[in-house]
Amino acid sequence: MLSRWGFGEELGVFGKQLQFAGEYKRTKAGKRDIFCKLKEYMSQTEQPFLKRYNKLNAQQKRAVDTIYGPVMVIAGPGTGKTEVLAMRIANLLRSETQVKPYEILCLTFTDEATVAMRRRLLQIIGEDAHRVHIYTFHAFCNNVIQNNPEYFGLRELMPISDLERMDLLYNIIETLPEGHALRRLKGDIYYDAKNLRALFDLMKSEDWSAPYVSGAIDIYLESLPEREKYIYKKANSKKNIKAGDPKTEDIRKEAERMERTRAAALLLPEYQARMQEMGRYDFSDMILWVIKAFKEHPEFLLMNQEKFQFLLVDEFQDTSGAQNELLTLLSDYWEDPNIFIVGDDDQSIFEFQGARLQNIIDFYERYQKTIEVIVLKENYRSSQAILDRSAATISSNQQRLIYQLDALNLDKNIVAANDRFREESIIPAPVVASYFNVLHEEADIVSQIEILQQTGVPLQHVAILYAQHKQAANIIAMLEKKSIPYWVKKPVNVLDLPIIRQILNIFEYLYQEHQQAFSGEELLFQLLHAPFFQVSTLDIATLSLYLQEKERKHKYWRYLLQDTLLLETFGLINPKPLYKLGQCLEKWIGEMSSLTLPMLMENILYDSGIIGHLLKGNNQVWDMQVVHTFFDFVKDECDKRPRLSIRMLLEMIEKMEKEGIAISIQKVVKQENGVRFYTAFSAKGHEFEHVFVVGLTKNFWEKKSGNNRGFSLPDTLTRESQSEEDGRGAEEVARRLFYVAMTRAKKHLHISFSEKDNKHKDLEPSMFIDEISKDDERVKRAMDNEHLMTHLSVSFMPDPPVKIELAKAELIDKRLEQFAVSVSALNKYLDCPLSFYYEYILRVPAAKSDSLAFGTAVHYALEQLFKKMIKDEDKEFFDKDELLKTFYFAMKREEGAFTELQFGRRIELGKQILGEYYDEYIDSFNKHVVAEYNISNVSLGNVPIKGKLDKLEFEGKNCVVIDYKTGSPEYSSRNQLIGPTEANPDGGDYWRQMVFYKILLQNHPPARDWTMTAGIFDFIEKNKKGEFVRYTVPIDENSVGVVKAQIKDVYERIMNKEFDTGCGKEDCTWCNFVKTYELVKPTITEDVELLKG
DNA sequence: TAGCGGTGAGTTTTT
DNA sequence: CTCACCGCTA
């Protein structure tokens, strides 16, 4: 019978099954009938199984056939891990034990893997595949929670969404008590939200309680003075330090950091409690709760242990501590649990998520007596040449199972076993290529892709792998321009796209105007430029200049847009869109209270002309998809909260942006037949005919050991191996990542690096390059100029300067008639002429930032302190209380620039720093002073100049000028204080400011007798060490000459209207404004340096 | 060789 | 905001 069906003798498990069939035949009559039924069964379910089974190699068969007891399969890349897993499930179902599909639990880490496994299983066993429990760890636990409310509280529980969680964290931060280590008084008050989330996640995935962390910190801090890192090894006579003394300053800093961490960790219970109040739980809870329930209710655990008799785990090397604990619980009932794990220690790259090699070792040791260890070594993916190179690098790792479990004598020498690679002559050898610079590298990769395309290679078989997304940006842009299809996994966040930004600006404007009329003027100015409104930029400039005239009829844009009669009088190029816009805005503002948000949004989309504009454009499909995605988001949120207001929406989006929560859109970027782009991380589990691993330089592939989580953790938290994890560990993880990347390739592997980046800075090739190739085996590639030029012309080079069209010359001239140079105008012009144009020529309405308004209030309070003293008969300062009251009064005037929370915290900050400042200096202040000195109507040659000095302190005829600075001294870079250097030929802004004051005083007749000897920047806030800081700028005649020349030069350039070109700096507000509203097409500059081969 | 001060840059990803 | 790195100094 065996031979009739063509089975070999060594069929293993089949023996029993067939024997069983044989008995059946003997005991029942009608053997023909049975035979037919069996044959039928075979053809339906057995045939595909057997066909596949026959293709397995000996180790794979052993893995499939070993049904009982613990099995550990170590499966290198391309060794058929998924197939073995699926085949084993199939085999369980068809074995004599009559395992039911629902008794099998197969756990994976990603949804993607679940889908892949289910699909594979469907091919092998058909419909039964749907009855096998295949889940991610989290989905499994979530099901357990949802299906057993009696163990998890009867309330309705839902997984928390990203947004809800963020709200919760914000809420916790808002209600921190005064003096709490995480309470921030200025800047981004919610800065720690992200860090808290990360910390809580970590604590929960490791099952660390708050007291446990706090205790670990105590132990850590106590141990600091004994650690080498915190002991001076060398004496320093100047500071009276002996070798062996503790580094007290470093210890103090570390202790401060730890107190922050402790304060954060102690918030975990509150976070948990509040989440529970909301009826929500997070990802970590899913696993932790199930573990807890299993531990507390033995009968519940038992029920589940019996339910799932056979456990299978994919990618076991990625299990975290909690997941591992769950597995242990589920399998604990049996002495020899039927647990089957598959993994590869060499592909363990998720250590930062808590995955530890140790878990595999623990697993082995737990079941040491009966465990079956199988190593899959036959690789069906790659050519031997590729495998050899991969082995060359991974063999440098020490933390590998073959060393850790050396008693087993594991052999992981992976061998190419795919028949297609028999004929070695046709297999291309892996290429290691070096390029002159990144530009050459990118251009060459693109041209190689083109060649592949021309030779008929389906592009979905080509992959570009890199360590970080940004390494692919230029190549992607290039393909885009050349219309070569590509496929990127990285989702696009619609919130980053200009069209959505513009729509959001409309919302923001409407909201601000609704709150308080004319408070949104700044935004309105920007909105006027939106392409869909079709307003001429020249007309905007004309009107900007009109709004500055003394005899203007309107002060505000919003009024001006309503005044159709007036608009007719300017001789505008195209006034129509202006009053159409004016009408739209009024209509929308009116509709804010009567319409739901989605309805209002719909009106805006159509009234404004956005839809019409997009439909006329080149990318209508994509653009409409973007708008729809955003619209759907607004609708969804409105469904959740029917009373959603614009304010709530804007707040929500602001938080989302800050916390990196995206409204993502992927479809359009995925072109089925396109070149694949992956980070090495996400390429795991995929394979490609042609693989290009690019940018193999140290800075990208060998990450520095920065554990850059917001809160630093004491190393006493984890029991051991800390030293390993630091230096060597990081290197080994990086090497595994590279190993994963290399082993994605089937036939053609191309590894490349560049010697210089595009800024002409030297790059260091990764050490892995040396591990896989000798110097003379590498190809040096240079691209010809023609290729480079095309690449240059389409790639995103360092930002080119932006140029715009200026307002009409005669209008600008009119404005310039009244222009006088102030130090801030001078600094602004030197920094970015375009910004100068918007801020000083068009005088765009500007909202005050919170830090600016705070500065104003502090200045005012200090000014009053001195002014009152001067007026006082006894020349006494008023008391501290009065100072703080004055400050509060000034803050009240500025209240509009703050949010409610910001206002409160800023008051707190101001009272603190002003109080300290008062105490520090009140007894030593120089009382021969002038507080606030205004100078105007002064000219330097023919250049009108003006300025306002905070304070002058006199010693006889000599004076020093004091300038108050709010904000931390740490952030005022000290090189702002020095004059021209090679790196900064214009000199620092602070330096220029003081020299400018000197020039002002020299040319101001009432001050003729005074001699300014120096300028002092007086910081109101203490620095981090708790010291008050005053920076002195000495003034010499040479500096005066330099700045005078600067003033004259800049004035001349301004008079010549040389402000149509921006600085192009990435964080420049106005350059970005011009880009967001597409006011200019970037000009392409050719950087000759880059072309040298 | 340690320490100081200034400078520049700034992941990867899953549920 | 924090850390790594560089160059200088004792």
Side-chain angles (χ1 to χ4, degrees):
Chain A
M1 192 158 179
L2 288 174
S3 54
R4 176 133 53 113
W5 281 335
F7 301 150
E9 290 294 334
E10 72 295 349
L11 275 187
V13 292
F14 296 102
K16 282 212 166 157
Q17 175 101 11
L18 292 169
Q19 205 182 334
F20 165 73
E23 277 166 2
Y24 196 77
K25 199 168 81 181
R26 270 200 297 277
T27 50
K28 284 240 175 171
K31 59 181 173 182
R32 205 185 154 71
D33 188 38
I34 295 298
F35 179 75
C36 282
K37 271 203 177 142
L38 246 171
K39 200 176 160 192
E40 192 187 341
Y41 180 74
M42 282 301 203
S43 61
Q44 273 171 15
T45 65
E46 287 291 281
Q47 283 296 15
F49 178 82
L50 290 177
K51 221 172 141 195
R52 293 178 100 111
Y53 186 86
N54 279 329
K55 285 187 187 155
L56 300 180
N57 63 40
Q59 299 103 323
Q60 289 175 321
K61 283 179 181 163
R62 211 172 109 218
V64 170
D65 293 342
T66 312
I67 288 176
Y68 297 109
V71 184
M72 175 163 112
V73 177
I74 299 160
T79 51
K81 155 181 78 82
T82 315
E83 179 73 2
V84 164
L85 216 46
M87 286 294 283
R88 185 168 186 274
I89 294 174
N91 192 34
L92 288 175
L93 295 176
R94 58 181 295 292
S95 71
E96 85 276 17
T97 49
Q98 300 293 304
V99 177
K100 300 287 181 291
Y102 48 81
E103 290 172 331
I104 298 171
L105 175 62
C106 178
L107 293 171
T108 66
F109 286 86
T110 64
D111 288 321
E112 205 185 350
T114 319
V115 173
M117 178 60 65
R118 180 98 57 198
R119 191 178 300 147
R120 182 82 61 111
L121 210 50
L122 268 166
Q123 286 171 10
I124 305 172
I125 60 168
E127 284 304 300
D128 265 358
H130 289 297
R131 283 185 281 276
V132 179
H133 294 285
I134 304 174
Y135 291 114
T136 62
F137 274 91
H138 290 91
F140 168 72
C141 290
N142 198 28
N143 276 352
V144 171
I145 292 170
Q146 295 294 334
N147 296 333
N148 300 279
E150 65 273 29
Y151 291 104
F152 297 94
L154 291 168
R155 283 197 54 188
E156 196 193 341
L157 288 166
M158 295 240 299
I160 194 166
S161 75
D162 282 351
L163 263 163
E164 287 172 319
R165 168 146 70 168
M166 198 178 55
D167 267 339
L168 172 55
L169 288 168
Y170 272 39
N171 203 259
I172 290 177
I173 290 174
E174 279 165 18
T175 51
L176 290 175
E178 226 169 291
H180 192 278
L182 301 183
R183 187 178 163 103
R184 282 166 194 260
L185 300 182
K186 61 172 179 177
D188 181 3
I189 288 161
Y190 303 107
Y191 178 83
D192 284 312
K194 244 190 211 138
N195 300 333
L196 282 175
R197 192 187 59 190
L199 179 72
F200 293 163
D201 271 348
L202 180 70
M203 287 172 70
K204 287 165 81 168
S205 70
E206 297 285 350
D207 212 352
W208 294 335
S209 68
Y212 172 72
V213 173
S214 183
I217 289 174
D218 287 334
I219 296 169
Y220 175 69
L221 288 181
E222 263 171 52
S223 75
L224 282 188
E226 286 137 44
R227 293 179 184 231
E228 284 209 3
K229 208 178 144 194
Y230 294 94
I231 294 172
Y232 284 105
K233 284 180 192 134
K234 212 187 158 187
N236 183 335
S237 53
K238 231 185 189 179
K239 292 193 163 186
N240 199 19
I241 285 165
K242 298 188 294 281
D245 283 355
K247 297 181 186 174
T248 41
E249 179 60 14
D250 283 3
I251 290 175
R252 190 192 61 78
K253 270 192 196 151
E254 185 69 359
E256 210 168 81
R257 269 197 291 270
M258 283 304 141
E259 289 315 322
R260 271 174 50 76
T261 306
R262 190 202 308 272
L266 292 174
L267 290 172
L268 180 63
E270 186 183 344
Y271 171 74
Q272 293 291 69
R274 291 225 208 161
M275 194 150 60
Q276 207 153 24
E277 264 170 50
M278 294 162 64
R280 297 286 187 273
Y281 57 102
D282 68 12
F283 283 115
S284 322
D285 286 326
M286 292 180 194
I287 294 177
L288 285 184
W289 286 10
V290 172
I291 290 176
K292 190 163 166 258
F294 281 173
K295 280 183 177 164
E296 285 173 5
H297 307 282
E299 79 286 356
F300 183 46
L301 174 62
L302 195 65
M303 193 176 92
N304 279 283
Q305 286 169 331
E306 278 175 356
K307 195 166 159 194
F308 305 111
Q309 308 252 354
F310 292 86
L311 296 176
L312 298 96
V313 185
D314 192 11
E315 306 274 16
F316 185 81
Q317 76 276 2
D318 291 339
T319 39
S320 69
Q323 288 162 335
N324 206 25
E325 195 176 354
L326 180 79
L327 278 179
T328 314
L329 282 168
L330 275 175
S331 54
D332 214 24
Y333 175 75
W334 319 93
E335 198 157 311
D336 264 340
N338 302 317
I339 180 166
F340 182 92
I341 65 162
V342 185
D344 182 9
D345 48 320
D346 292 332
Q347 294 183 69
S348 168
I349 51 178
F350 288 104
E351 272 182 352
F352 61 90
Q353 282 167 33
R356 304 253 159 69
L357 185 66
Q358 192 60 36
N359 288 341
I360 307 183
I361 297 165
D362 287 347
F363 183 86
Y364 169 76
E365 282 168 356
R366 189 173 324 122
Y367 303 115
Q368 200 161 3
K369 279 181 207 148
T370 52
I371 194 167
E372 187 88 24
V373 179
I374 298 165
V375 183
L376 303 183
K377 304 196 310 184
E378 291 181 28
N379 174 298
Y380 299 95
R381 176 185 297 155
S382 316
S383 70
Q384 190 61 47
I386 290 171
L387 292 175
D388 287 345
R389 299 287 175 126
S390 318
T393 176
I394 199 67
S395 64
S396 305
N397 268 9
Q398 296 305 306
Q399 294 182 39
R400 301 181 74 198
L401 283 184
I402 48 170
Y403 304 122
Q404 313 270 325
L405 299 178
D406 50 358
L408 278 173
N409 219 351
L410 296 175
D411 174 6
K412 278 191 79 179
N413 292 318
I414 297 173
V415 186
N418 195 317
D419 283 345
R420 64 185 283 232
F421 297 121
R422 282 267 165 81
E423 288 239 13
E424 275 180 37
S425 56
I426 55 156
I427 305 168
V431 178
V432 180
S434 78
Y435 295 88
F436 171 67
N437 66 20
V438 175
L439 191 71
H440 282 84
E441 183 178 356
E442 289 166 349
D444 186 42
I445 302 282
V446 171
S447 75
Q448 288 199 47
I449 292 173
E450 283 181 298
I451 292 169
L452 288 172
Q453 190 183 28
Q454 282 152 19
T455 31
V457 172
L459 290 183
Q460 67 268 34
H461 294 164
V462 181
I464 314 292
L465 306 184
Y466 38 89
Q468 290 175 31
H469 287 295
K470 61 180 164 207
Q471 291 180 277
N474 280 341
I475 301 180
I476 291 174
M478 186 77 175
L479 295 187
E480 176 97 25
K481 282 277 154 72
K482 296 199 166 203
S483 301
I484 298 173
Y486 65 93
W487 189 106
V488 196
K489 207 185 163 197
K490 190 190 175 191
V492 174
N493 185 356
V494 300
L495 294 177
D496 293 336
L497 302 174
I499 183 68
I500 301 301
R501 292 251 60 90
Q502 291 162 11
I503 294 173
L504 285 171
N505 277 350
I506 296 181
F507 279 148
E508 180 78 42
Y509 173 74
L510 296 181
Y511 167 64
Q512 288 186 11
E513 290 295 311
H514 190 74
Q515 286 293 106
Q516 195 190 344
F518 314 119
S519 60
E521 286 286 300
E522 185 195 13
L523 273 169
L524 180 51
F525 174 82
Q526 296 190 16
L527 278 175
L528 288 167
H529 294 82
F532 44 81
F533 288 134
Q534 301 186 326
V535 178
S536 149
T537 45
L538 279 181
D539 289 348
I540 300 172
T542 303
L543 296 176
S544 282
L545 293 167
Y546 166 75
L547 282 174
Q548 290 173 47
E549 283 176 14
K550 285 216 176 72
E551 59 278 23
R552 68 196 164 191
K553 186 172 165 201
H554 301 295
K555 196 174 157 196
Y556 295 113
W557 280 98
R558 188 172 160 191
Y559 276 152
L560 184 61
L561 293 181
Q562 303 299 310
D563 200 334
T564 47
L565 285 177
L566 181 67
L567 285 175
E568 297 286 353
T569 65
F570 295 107
L572 298 175
I573 296 166
N574 186 10
K576 255 193 197 156
L578 281 165
Y579 35 80
K580 187 192 153 201
L581 173 58
Q583 283 160 7
C584 281
L585 293 176
E586 298 309 314
K587 174 173 174 256
W588 297 334
I589 292 171
E591 286 171 347
M592 279 178 71
S593 34
S594 58
L595 294 184
T596 64
L597 199 46
M599 281 164 81
L600 176 64
M601 182 166 168
E602 201 177 308
N603 282 352
I604 291 175
L605 287 177
Y606 285 96
D607 296 348
S608 64
I610 291 177
I611 298 291
H613 173 78
L614 294 183
L615 289 178
K616 269 184 263 165
N618 294 330
N619 305 315
Q620 15 172 313
V621 181
W622 164 249
D623 286 338
M624 288 305 285
Q625 234 170 338
V626 166
V627 171
H628 261 284
T629 306
F630 181 65
F631 191 49
D632 287 345
F633 167 79
V634 174
K635 271 198 294 199
D636 283 352
E637 287 307 315
C638 239
D639 287 344
K640 276 190 219 159
R641 284 190 277 180
R643 319 207 63 160
L644 189 75
S645 66
I646 287 199
R647 180 183 61 82
M648 286 151 79
L649 178 75
L650 291 171
E651 272 173 10
M652 199 154 81
I653 286 170
E654 191 190 330
K655 286 183 208 166
M656 287 171 69
E657 287 183 323
K658 212 159 50 195
E659 305 303 325
I661 299 172
I663 305 174
S664 55
I665 178 170
Q666 292 203 23
K667 275 174 200 148
V668 182
V669 191
K670 289 188 175 180
Q671 291 167 305
E672 270 314 310
N673 304 316
V675 181
R676 263 47 177 167
F677 283 85
Y678 284 101
T679 59
F681 280 97
S682 52
K684 204 172 156 204
H686 299 272
E687 56 180 27
F688 312 93
E689 205 63 25
H690 307 266
V691 168
F692 294 88
V693 188
V694 303
L696 256 147
T697 48
K698 267 210 161 64
N699 53 335
F700 284 115
W701 288 83
E702 293 162 41
K703 37 214 87 180
K704 314 121 204 180
S705 59
N707 239 2
N708 228 354
R709 253 167 311 191
F711 298 110
S712 32
L713 300 169
D715 59 11
T716 41
L717 277 167
T718 41
R719 286 164 298 267
E720 50 190 335
S721 76
Q722 197 61 37
S723 55
E724 277 175 276
E725 253 163 57
D726 284 351
R728 269 208 84 73
E731 179 190 310
E732 300 211 349
V733 175
R735 187 178 284 107
R736 278 181 229 141
L737 188 65
F738 179 53
Y739 178 72
V740 167
M742 289 179 86
T743 52
R744 298 308 97 194
K746 292 182 180 176
K747 192 170 97 185
H748 172 207
L749 176 62
H750 184 277
I751 293 161
S752 59
F753 64 96
S754 303
E755 275 149 24
K756 289 183 193 310
D757 70 8
N758 282 349
K759 285 176 189 150
H760 218 68
K761 226 173 75 184
D762 282 342
L763 291 171
E764 205 178 333
S766 160
M767 62 190 292
F768 308 140
I769 290 287
D770 286 326
E771 292 173 357
I772 59 166
S773 63
K774 292 197 198 84
D775 204 28
D776 56 2
E777 292 169 331
R778 290 170 211 155
V779 188
K780 280 214 177 212
R781 289 249 172 86
M783 296 300 291
D784 55 58
N785 273 8
E786 195 193 336
H787 267 105
L788 282 180
M789 284 314 297
T790 21
H791 188 69
L792 255 182
S793 63
V794 293
S795 65
F796 289 17
M797 290 303 296
D799 284 324
V802 288
K803 232 180 151 168
I804 60 151
E805 199 180 354
L806 295 176
K808 283 186 196 154
E810 68 263 28
L811 294 172
I812 297 181
D813 285 336
K814 213 166 142 195
R815 163 79 188 97
L816 288 178
E817 277 168 21
Q818 319 142 31
F819 178 74
V821 179
S822 66
V823 68
S824 52
L826 177 65
N827 286 349
K828 182 62 79 177
Y829 186 90
L830 289 171
D831 184 43
C832 173
L834 184 72
S835 300
F836 172 83
Y837 171 68
Y838 280 111
E839 291 176 20
Y840 287 86
I841 302 298
L842 296 189
R843 289 212 229 165
V844 169
K848 245 184 190 175
S849 73
D850 62 320
S851 54
L852 200 64
F854 176 72
T856 308
V858 171
H859 270 74
Y860 178 81
L862 290 172
E863 186 190 316
Q864 291 305 310
L865 177 67
F866 282 93
K867 281 195 170 161
K868 291 275 163 63
M869 178 276 291
I870 293 166
K871 278 188 196 151
D872 187 75
E873 281 180 12
D874 305 324
K875 301 281 175 234
E876 292 289 333
F877 289 108
F878 54 53
D879 62 15
K880 189 158 89 177
D881 225 34
E882 189 62 29
L883 179 72
L884 300 186
K885 267 189 207 152
T886 314
F887 165 70
Y888 185 78
F889 167 76
M891 282 292 282
K892 267 303 207 195
R893 288 195 308 205
E894 306 282 342
E895 203 169 352
F898 302 95
T899 66
E900 206 183 317
L901 191 68
Q902 273 176 340
F903 186 73
R905 300 254 170 126
R906 285 284 185 177
I907 293 279
E908 219 174 300
L909 176 70
K911 289 193 168 165
Q912 182 196 321
I913 64 175
L914 278 173
E916 286 169 355
Y917 182 83
Y918 186 96
D919 292 340
E920 172 80 11
Y921 290 116
I922 197 64
D923 295 327
S924 59
F925 276 130
N926 183 338
K927 288 187 177 178
H928 302 284
V929 295
V930 174
E932 212 196 37
Y933 193 64
N934 265 306
I935 303 177
S936 55
N937 297 322
V938 171
S939 10
L940 176 71
N942 59 347
V943 182
I945 54 176
K946 63 175 181 182
K948 190 175 130 185
L949 285 56
D950 282 348
K951 192 172 78 173
L952 293 104
E953 288 183 356
F954 290 90
E955 297 287 349
K957 293 282 177 198
N958 285 348
C959 70
V960 290
V961 174
I962 311 287
D963 194 74
Y964 298 127
K965 289 258 173 254
T966 45
S968 313
E970 275 82 4
Y971 300 122
S972 312
S973 175
R974 251 195 228 190
N975 56 8
Q976 291 297 339
L977 294 167
I978 52 176
T981 57
E982 221 171 281
N984 185 8
D986 289 335
D989 280 357
Y990 291 178
W991 163 81
R992 190 176 313 104
Q993 184 181 347
M994 285 304 178
V995 178
F996 190 93
Y997 289 160
K998 167 97 178 174
I999 295 169
L1000 270 176
L1001 288 171
Q1002 278 177 345
N1003 290 280
H1004 186 52
R1008 210 174 295 135
D1009 296 340
W1010 305 342
T1011 309
M1012 172 175 169
T1013 53
I1016 292 176
F1017 287 99
D1018 189 5
F1019 285 84
I1020 313 304
E1021 195 172 336
K1022 288 198 260 191
N1023 70 9
K1024 283 192 114 180
K1025 288 180 192 161
E1027 304 150 347
F1028 283 98
V1029 178
R1030 304 181 107 201
Y1031 291 157
T1032 304
V1033 182
I1035 310 287
D1036 56 65
E1037 276 310 314
N1038 186 29
S1039 296
V1040 170
V1042 173
V1043 174
K1044 273 184 178 168
Q1046 283 181 348
I1047 295 171
K1048 282 185 179 151
D1049 176 51
V1050 165
Y1051 186 71
E1052 208 168 290
R1053 280 154 70 187
I1054 290 172
M1055 289 300 138
N1056 286 333
K1057 308 186 192 64
E1058 292 175 31
F1059 33 60
D1060 59 347
T1061 307
C1063 60
K1065 285 195 278 277
E1066 235 166 79
D1067 56 350
C1068 173
T1069 317
W1070 289 107
C1071 287
N1072 285 329
F1073 162 72
V1074 165
K1075 283 180 207 154
T1076 306
Y1077 285 91
E1078 294 158 11
L1079 299 182
V1080 79
K1081 295 263 180 270
T1083 47
I1084 288 155
T1085 51
E1086 288 157 23
D1087 194 334
V1088 181
E1089 277 292 288
L1090 293 167
L1091 296 174
K1092 286 180 193 157

